[in-house]
Amino acid sequence: MAQIDVPVLIAGGGPVGMTTALNLARYGIRSLLVERNPTTTRHPKMDLTNGRSMELFHRLGLDENLRDAGVPRENAFDILWITSLVGHDLHRFHYPSAAEKTDIIRAENDGSHGAQAPLRVSQVQIEPVLKKAIDENPLIDVRFGTRFEKLVENGPDGVIAEIVNEATGESDTVRCRFLAGCDGGGSRVRRNLGIQLDGEENVAGAFMVHFRTDDRALLQRWGPVYHLQSGMGTIIAQNDHDVYTLQAWLLPGMDPSTMTPEGVLEGWIGTHFDYEVLQANPWHAHFVVAEKYRDQSVLLAGDAAHQYIPTGGYGMNSGIADSAAISWVLAANLLGWGGDKLLDAYDLERRPTAWWHLEASRRHMGVRQQITMLYMEAGDVEEEGPEGDARRADLAAKIAALGNAENESWGVEFGYRYDQSPVVAKEGEAPAIDPITYTPSTWPGARLPHVFLADGVALHDKLGVFWTLVALDDSDTAAIEAAAAEQGVPLEVLRLNQPELRPIYERNLLLVRPDQHVAWRGDALPDDSAALLALVCGR
């Protein structure tokens, strides 16, 4: 049994684990990543990388590679409600393509948009891009086909863990300062720690059929559409060409053991057609969040920490934000300028955010359930003639009235804020966050709003790797620069000299963390800059 010494052991090589390794490497931190599967996933686990995640992938230089792997930039994000694929279309919610959204972001340069357009892409395509990046990074020791076996020791100063090669059965001991549990919903790391999940399990279910077909006359009879939805589920166009995923709802009384992929698929489509089933299985969704994200030197992220139904697409996207959060606090501690309170802050920031995303997902699921009832109450919506037309028009109007917050909750996506954080300056009672509408805000704990600056470069692209003090004017920043130098805190000053940005950024000075969230703001430095830095660095 060999012994491996590494600063951070990452259990789990899905998107969250791989992104965590890349984020740590960006900060100069070595890691060992172990993944029990020999290859990246073949399971279609998600289909949307939202704008906030794309901002975080952009920092890693991966956004264009991911877009090349996803649906073409010119394809829209339309959601179309139908009776069936051999029946009638009811109501379309139109959303711009990534290319159109990019143009909108630049034209409406008022802080109300993310810096990046979202991306339609399956996890099947995302993971190889991330795998190539970690394989090429000299700071990451990548071991697929190796499982995290058990936690041998966990204390305030580090972890001893055992890992096992799946092919040979050989074990190695890993000594590390930190263990990041990114190993999915059945997390072995979480179970080793005895951390329980709060919430509800098995709240909804579906029968998933992942399939390939060249019958675009059928699957694209209304043109390329992101989601084709009915009261009984959704077909997701994975590549707008030949690969699709059906998620057919399992209603009370349905027994998935008696169902076949062919029966489910052809029943939902409404006809027989030529196709190849790539994968099929029933599944049940959970609304759960881990009771804590930190146990001494072990921290959880991604599905190991939270699980929700896919409505809204918050699962992996929350995990990518977890990765941005966990990586900078671990790096800060390892580099010596971050204190133990940063590790506690990770829990106090990301766990409430998980509940925020969970409740949004629950609301979206509630709308889906309402629409399912509308379909059931509508009568025969396939009937031709005036009576069928009237039923369809009535159903379409009711769907339109319920709206599509599932794909429009910009406040949930960009507006979450770390109000409970012990390492963010306080300003009194925080303003409410609208889950639908994103209002740019620099209230401490919020994500820094995006704008393109006078030179055409995005403000986010000018932030330093670690701390950045953004100055809209010529305010004196000497005191905090001196305090940072004395404390060994890596701080850059970004002087914009654009006072016209004040309506968006609200203060002349903004202290921005490595994860792009605002830690403090003011029109002048505080009386004690050293104390401010000690607070925000968790010391």
Side-chain angles (χ1 to χ4, degrees):
M1 181 181 288
Q3 179 175 301
I4 303 164
D5 292 282
V6 68
V8 181
L9 170 63
I10 300 169
V16 176
M18 288 193 280
T19 304
T20 298
L22 291 166
N23 276 315
L24 287 169
R26 181 172 178 264
Y27 298 133
I29 303 299
R30 291 187 303 114
S31 65
L32 166 62
L33 181 146
V34 297
E35 164 57 45
R36 64 181 178 84
N37 292 306
T39 64
T40 56
T41 189
R42 296 184 177 90
H43 300 269
K45 299 177 184 177
M46 49 74 62
D47 55 273
L48 175 71
T49 303
N50 69 24
R52 177 56 181 152
S53 292
M54 290 305 291
E55 289 181 342
L56 297 171
F57 282 131
H58 175 73
R59 296 195 314 169
L60 296 170
L62 293 174
D63 51 313
E64 289 303 313
N65 291 342
L66 289 169
R67 291 194 190 282
D68 288 343
V71 170
R73 294 162 172 80
E74 295 74 26
N75 291 25
F77 285 63
D78 288 6
I79 310 297
L80 181 65
W81 286 90
I82 62 175
T83 60
S84 71
L85 267 168
V86 295
H88 302 265
D89 61 322
L90 296 172
H91 184 77
R92 182 185 294 258
F93 292 97
H94 172 67
Y95 301 100
S97 69
E100 292 171 321
K101 182 65 175 179
T102 298
D103 291 340
I104 292 169
I105 289 169
R106 191 165 282 277
E108 298 177 3
N109 190 32
D110 57 4
S112 65
H113 297 284
Q116 293 284 322
L119 169 65
R120 286 177 53 198
V121 63
S122 170
Q123 190 167 325
V124 175
Q125 275 74 48
I126 278 185
E127 290 196 8
V129 175
L130 298 177
K131 179 65 161 51
K132 183 174 186 292
I134 62 174
D135 285 341
E136 294 173 351
N137 196 302
L139 292 176
I140 306 171
D141 182 353
V142 182
R143 303 193 187 189
F144 271 54
T146 301
R147 71 177 182 269
F148 168 83
E149 179 65 16
K150 64 181 178 181
L151 191 63
V152 178
E153 185 177 310
N154 177 29
D157 299 318
V159 168
I160 301 174
E162 182 182 337
I163 61 175
V164 176
N165 183 300
E166 289 278 2
T168 67
E170 294 177 351
S171 299
D172 291 314
T173 296
V174 180
R175 290 181 178 270
C176 53
R177 175 63 187 89
F178 294 108
L179 167 60
C182 308
D183 52 340
S187 173
R188 187 184 290 258
V189 173
R190 188 188 66 236
R191 287 186 279 121
N192 266 240
L193 293 168
I195 294 175
Q196 301 300 309
L197 297 171
D198 294 330
E200 302 173 81
E201 296 187 341
N202 299 321
V203 292
F207 197 107
M208 186 274 291
V209 184
H210 189 49
F211 65 100
R212 178 183 286 116
T213 181
D214 289 322
D215 193 344
R216 282 183 288 283
L218 177 64
L219 270 295
Q220 295 185 11
R221 59 174 293 200
W222 295 286
V225 176
Y226 176 28
H227 283 179
L228 288 160
Q229 299 188 163
S230 82
M232 290 303 295
T234 300
I235 282 186
I236 302 153
Q238 297 287 0
N239 62 2
D240 277 1
H241 178 60
D242 63 349
V243 179
Y244 301 85
T245 303
L246 168 63
Q247 302 286 3
W249 299 129
L250 291 173
L251 300 182
M254 288 185 175
D255 181 0
S257 68
T258 66
M259 302 162 72
T260 65
E262 295 78 10
V264 171
L265 180 59
E266 294 181 20
W268 200 96
I269 296 283
T271 187
H272 173 74
F273 64 107
D274 290 330
Y275 59 88
E276 174 192 2
V277 174
L278 302 176
Q279 182 189 342
N281 56 269
W283 58 270
H284 286 84
H286 313 303
F287 285 128
V288 292
V289 176
E291 61 183 351
K292 60 181 178 179
Y293 279 20
R294 180 198 178 191
D295 187 323
Q296 299 197 79
S297 295
V298 183
L299 294 87
L300 303 177
D303 284 357
H306 49 72
Q307 298 157 50
Y308 357 100
I309 200 164
T311 46
Y314 304 127
M316 188 207 77
N317 289 297
S318 293
I320 298 305
D322 290 343
S323 172
I326 197 174
S327 56
W328 87 265
V329 303
L330 297 185
N333 188 282
L334 289 163
L335 294 170
W337 53 264
D340 191 71
K341 285 184 180 177
L342 281 185
L343 306 175
D344 289 333
Y346 170 72
D347 175 279
L348 292 168
E349 292 175 358
R350 293 305 302 166
R351 197 156 45 86
T353 304
W355 283 105
W356 167 247
H357 287 143
L358 182 151
E359 292 303 333
S361 179
R362 193 198 303 273
R363 288 194 300 274
H364 303 330
M365 186 61 205
V367 173
R368 290 281 193 109
Q369 291 171 333
Q370 285 181 267
I371 292 175
T372 294
M373 292 304 301
L374 291 175
Y375 270 81
M376 291 180 171
E377 296 166 356
D380 184 2
V381 292
E382 300 287 16
E383 181 184 357
E384 300 298 337
E387 290 189 9
D389 291 341
R391 290 192 194 100
R392 287 187 288 274
D394 180 63
L395 177 56
K398 289 175 178 175
I399 291 171
L402 282 171
N404 194 45
E406 180 176 338
N407 295 90
E408 300 175 9
S409 292
W410 314 122
V412 174
E413 185 173 328
F414 292 107
Y416 60 85
R417 195 176 56 219
Y418 299 145
D419 291 336
Q420 299 179 39
S421 176
V423 296
V424 165
K426 305 301 181 189
E427 285 193 10
E429 186 175 352
I433 302 170
D434 185 330
I436 305 297
T437 303
Y438 169 65
T439 302
S441 173
T442 59
W443 189 274
R447 161 195 162 275
L448 181 74
H450 150 77
V451 297
F452 292 106
L453 300 174
D455 60 3
V457 178
L459 172 56
H460 283 189
D461 287 348
K462 294 196 173 187
L463 298 176
V465 173
F466 290 107
W467 290 93
T468 307
L469 183 66
V470 178
L472 298 189
D473 58 12
D474 59 357
S475 295
D476 182 8
T477 59
I480 196 168
E481 291 179 73
E486 182 177 345
Q487 296 182 25
V489 176
L491 173 70
E492 297 181 27
V493 176
L494 175 60
R495 203 171 292 280
L496 301 182
N497 295 314
Q498 286 191 236
E500 70 274 15
L501 294 176
R502 172 68 185 238
I504 298 172
Y505 291 105
E506 303 174 303
R507 301 290 189 276
N508 291 333
L509 296 172
L510 305 165
L511 184 59
V512 183
R513 310 187 325 181
D515 61 353
Q516 300 177 334
H517 284 254
V518 176
W520 168 88
R521 63 181 185 169
D523 287 325
L525 291 178
D527 294 336
D528 191 342
S529 291
L532 172 61
L533 287 177
L535 169 73
V536 299
C537 292
R539 297 196 308 276

